[in-house]
Amino acid sequence: MASQDGQNQKHRGFPGFLPGYPDPDHNRPTVPLNSRKQVLLPPLPPPVNLPPGLEYLSQLDLIIIHQQVELLEMILGTETSNKYEIKNHLGQRVYFAVEESICFNRNFCSPLRSCTLRVTDNTGREVITVHRPLRCTSCWCPCYLQELEIQAPPGTIVGYVVQKWDPFLPKFTIQNESKEDILKIVGPYATCGCFGDVDFEVKTINEKITIGKISKYWSGFVNDVFTNADNFGIHVPADLDVKIKAAMIGACFLFDFMFFEHSLAGL
């Protein structure tokens, strides 16, 4: 009888939660981002009126993007294609993204390079395609600035991320498939981080209300100096349109290229 009571105590869990239920405070990842044990989520049945493959985005208010460490970059110092794991707040992998680009562009046009990022689910199905053309990025050049095209599924445009000229702050606009402005993203004066997180605030069009943020998490001195591997968190309302969430994932890739591609940029 005593052993049975002990087992009941062991599996009882917190009051009001089922045994094994995760901690409800999930503003930051609850598992190490570099955990070797990968937990893959199976695909969900597609809800009505959602682009196929984006079902999990409808449930998330925190999206973790973890760039994989490239040993070849560490050893040879060459720029390789970026790879990203996209996870939920429990560290379970939902999507995987791979950059397609030319070696010449990666090494000679590094932060500005044109590329395509293909995002697949855990069955290998491509669900999001992000196209980035070669464009300018300088605050001194008010024309031909950065722009991304987001497709979900591939071949169907669902949104754009467009850089807006500003002499002091990095500013971007999230647009729908008709190129109508939906949200704005405003970054800080300095993106160096100074041994801390860098936050890009997601705001309404008039910039009066902040509804979320895209954060570049500081991953530590050693990682930032010797690798380009970055960790990002996208904090948004859970009921935000999944097409806008997909565009914000594309925006996160763009910020990585523009501001954190070089090893010392993340300090």
Side-chain angles (χ1 to χ4, degrees):
M1 180 65 69
S3 61
Q4 183 175 0
D5 292 341
Q7 291 179 356
N8 292 336
Q9 290 289 339
K10 181 178 179 181
H11 295 286
R12 184 168 297 167
F14 293 104
F17 296 93
L18 295 176
Y21 197 90
D23 187 343
D25 182 11
H26 57 265
N27 289 330
R28 291 293 295 270
T30 58
V31 298
L33 292 170
N34 294 326
S35 175
R36 293 186 178 181
K37 184 179 179 181
Q38 295 296 333
V39 180
L40 307 182
L41 292 180
L44 291 175
V48 180
N49 298 327
L50 285 186
L54 302 190
E55 298 82 23
Y56 277 116
L57 292 184
S58 65
Q59 306 174 6
L60 301 182
D61 60 358
L62 174 60
I63 303 169
I64 303 298
I65 298 182
H66 170 60
Q67 183 179 357
Q68 291 192 330
V69 176
E70 297 293 339
L71 295 179
L72 190 61
E73 285 189 11
M74 297 176 61
I75 298 173
L76 302 179
T78 59
E79 187 68 39
T80 60
S81 297
N82 289 352
K83 299 179 180 66
Y84 304 89
E85 288 184 299
I86 302 172
K87 306 177 181 180
N88 62 17
H89 71 279
L90 297 176
Q92 298 169 320
R93 194 173 87 183
V94 180
Y95 303 114
F96 187 75
V98 178
E99 173 195 356
E100 290 184 358
S101 58
I102 302 174
C103 180
F104 178 88
N105 288 347
R106 289 197 303 271
N107 288 279
F108 293 95
C109 306
S110 184
L112 300 176
R113 64 183 181 264
S114 61
C115 64
T116 297
L117 289 117
R118 303 192 183 278
V119 182
T120 58
D121 63 15
N122 292 323
T123 67
R125 174 182 56 167
E126 186 174 346
V127 295
I128 303 173
T129 305
V130 179
H131 292 295
R132 184 199 187 196
L134 179 65
R135 299 176 74 97
C136 299
T137 187
S138 173
C139 63
W140 304 109
C141 179
C143 59
Y144 209 65
L145 296 177
Q146 292 293 305
E147 180 174 327
L148 294 184
E149 178 187 274
I150 295 88
Q151 300 178 3
T156 302
I157 298 174
V158 296
Y160 298 88
V161 180
V162 180
Q163 184 183 11
K164 297 298 182 181
W165 183 82
D166 188 278
F168 304 110
L169 296 174
K171 290 189 176 184
F172 302 83
T173 299
I174 301 290
Q175 299 178 337
N176 62 14
E177 60 272 22
S178 302
K179 290 210 166 185
E180 299 169 334
D181 294 348
I182 303 298
L183 294 171
K184 284 190 176 181
I185 302 176
V186 181
Y189 289 99
T191 58
C192 63
C194 296
F195 303 97
D197 296 348
V198 180
D199 292 332
F200 295 79
E201 295 185 335
V202 182
K203 298 176 175 287
T204 55
I205 293 300
N206 58 15
E207 299 187 22
K208 292 183 178 180
I209 301 176
T210 300
I211 68 162
K213 64 180 179 178
I214 297 176
S215 299
K216 192 273 183 182
Y217 299 138
W218 185 60
S219 53
F221 181 81
V222 174
N223 280 344
D224 280 335
V225 171
F226 294 104
T227 75
N228 284 340
D230 296 314
N231 300 315
F232 295 87
I234 302 175
H235 303 253
V236 291
D239 59 354
L240 188 67
D241 189 337
V242 294
K243 297 178 182 179
I244 303 301
K245 291 182 181 180
M248 293 184 68
I249 290 175
C252 194
F253 296 149
L254 179 61
F255 298 163
D256 188 32
F257 285 123
M258 292 180 63
F259 305 113
F260 308 109
E261 184 66 20
H262 295 297
S263 299
L264 293 177
L267 289 178

